[in-house]
Each structure stands twice: as structure tokens, then as C-alpha cells.
Amino acid sequence: MSEQPSVKILVVDDDPLVRAGLRMILGGAGDLDVVGEAGSGTDVPALVARLRPDVVLMDLHMPGVDGLTATERLRAVPNAPEVLVLTAFEADGHVRRALRAGAGGFLLKDTPPAEIVAAVRRVAAGEPVLSPEVTRRLIGIVTDGAPTDKRGEARKRLGALNTRETEVAIEVGRGSSNAEIAAALHLSVPTVKTHVSAALSKLDLNNRVQLALLVHDAGLAD
């Protein structure tokens, strides 16, 4: 039986020590391969075109083109790699802008190495990754004053889903993996994937993170 190909990663951070640390952490996992590095978002398009990474590990605060702009530009291109944001701190606007641009996850730099490795694997597999701190912040944004019309519009959009798809969407909004959703709702993992795909199609969304944001906008993830 042939081995699964390694997940190819591009590390983007303006601090050489951080890049070296991430290369060491990720390189220690046999199924991950750091294929390149960049110190600014300016270099990302050319490197992505040449190296074809599966995941871009993106810092936000860099000189020249910052990580938010680089993520928006990258995810606007067809067949773009997944983006996992890894930054020193989170701010409401940064989190939401990065995730709405299509980033597959958002972690803080103090995340333990093993969790960073697991997060890269999950993002590469198309599953959203949000640190507990970021998830709480997103929930707080909604519960502490999301406009009523925005919440109503989000709930109206989610009304296009059937009951089971809505249940699955809410679990996605809570950051649950497919296996966790399957266990919580007593479904098989393939069935969960089918419901997620159906929800994304009905709502015209690109990925699970955007589905999670819609659930948060609707105030249904708390």
C-alpha cells in the first residue's frame, strides 16, 4: 500500500527565529514537509506558485504586505492552499477579517507545539481550527452586541438547512471535528461530511470556517 503524500507547508513570518522554530516543530512530524519560508506577504504569491504548498502558516503582522492582505489575495485565487494564521495576539477585527477571507484556522503563537502540528493536519484536511481563546472571542463578539438585523439575517440564511444539517452546522461553529460531531450526533463520519458539504452548497460558502462564522453571527454556537 502506497504511503500518503506529505502535507507541504509554506511558513510566512518576519522573525527568522520563529520560522526556524516552526520548521523544527513541523519537520519532526513525518507527514509534514516545510517546503519554503517567507518573511513578508509580498513573497507569498510567487512562492505559492512555485512550491504548491498545501498549507500556508501565516503571521499577521509583517512589514510590506501584512498577513491579512496576503491571506485575502491568496484565497481569492482558484485552487489556493489552505491558510492557518499563527500570530502573537488576537484582535476582533483581525480574527474575523482573516477568517472571512477564507483562512482555515487561527492560532496564537503560545499554542503548544503538538497542537500546532495537529492544527496543520486538520486544516490540510479541510477542517477549521480555532484556539479556545479565539472561539470565546468570536462568541463574545456576537453575545456582546451583534446587530439584531445581522443576527436575523444569519438565522434566515441558516433556515435553508434541514434539521440535521443545522445541528451539524452548529457543531462546526463550536469548532468540533468531524469525528467529534459524529460522536455528539450519533452519526457516521462520512454522513457528517455529507451534511457539511450540503450545508456549504446550500449557503454558497467556500469552507467550514465561513460556516462557523455564520453560526456565530446567528448566535447559535454558545
Side-chain angles (χ1 to χ4, degrees):
M1 188 173 70
S2 61
E3 294 183 0
Q4 290 289 333
S6 296
V7 175
K8 297 189 293 183
I9 306 159
L10 174 65
V11 175
V12 184
D13 195 293
D14 64 331
D15 187 335
L17 290 177
V18 171
R19 296 200 304 270
L22 289 171
R23 180 180 283 275
M24 184 178 301
I25 290 169
L26 299 170
D31 58 334
L32 305 181
D33 181 19
V34 178
V35 296
E37 301 177 10
S40 169
T42 305
D43 303 321
V44 170
L47 286 171
V48 167
R50 179 164 61 88
L51 301 173
R52 299 295 182 186
D54 301 299
V55 177
V56 177
L57 197 54
M58 184 85 75
D59 185 25
L60 289 187
H61 305 283
M62 297 179 290
V65 176
D66 64 28
L68 285 171
T69 302
T71 297
E72 289 171 341
R73 292 176 179 175
L74 182 60
R75 292 296 299 171
V77 177
N79 301 315
E82 299 292 340
V83 175
L84 176 59
V85 173
L86 187 64
T87 191
F89 66 93
E90 84 278 15
D92 298 349
H94 291 158
V95 173
R96 295 178 73 79
R97 182 178 162 193
L99 297 180
R100 289 196 186 284
F106 199 110
L107 293 178
L108 302 183
K109 285 185 177 177
D110 61 0
T111 300
E115 292 182 22
I116 294 176
V117 170
V120 170
R121 290 174 176 149
R122 283 185 62 178
V123 168
E127 295 190 15
V129 175
L130 296 175
S131 70
E133 294 87 351
V134 172
T135 299
R136 284 195 293 270
R137 181 65 64 87
L138 284 173
I139 292 171
I141 293 169
V142 174
T143 58
D144 290 344
T148 302
D149 57 344
K150 185 175 184 180
R151 180 175 297 189
E153 179 61 28
R155 292 190 176 191
K156 181 178 179 181
R157 288 187 66 190
L158 288 169
L161 307 182
N162 63 34
T163 300
R164 186 58 90 183
E165 289 163 355
T166 300
E167 292 173 343
V168 170
I170 289 172
E171 291 299 324
V172 170
R174 290 170 177 160
S176 300
S177 67
N178 285 338
E180 290 167 340
I181 296 172
L185 300 180
H186 307 290
L187 301 170
S188 69
V189 170
T191 298
V192 170
K193 292 180 178 179
T194 297
H195 286 315
V196 170
S197 295
L200 293 176
S201 178
K202 288 182 178 181
L203 298 170
D204 194 25
L205 298 174
N206 293 323
N207 61 32
R208 293 169 62 112
V209 173
Q210 291 176 334
L211 176 59
L213 283 174
L214 184 63
V215 170
H216 281 286
D217 285 344
L220 300 179
D222 192 0

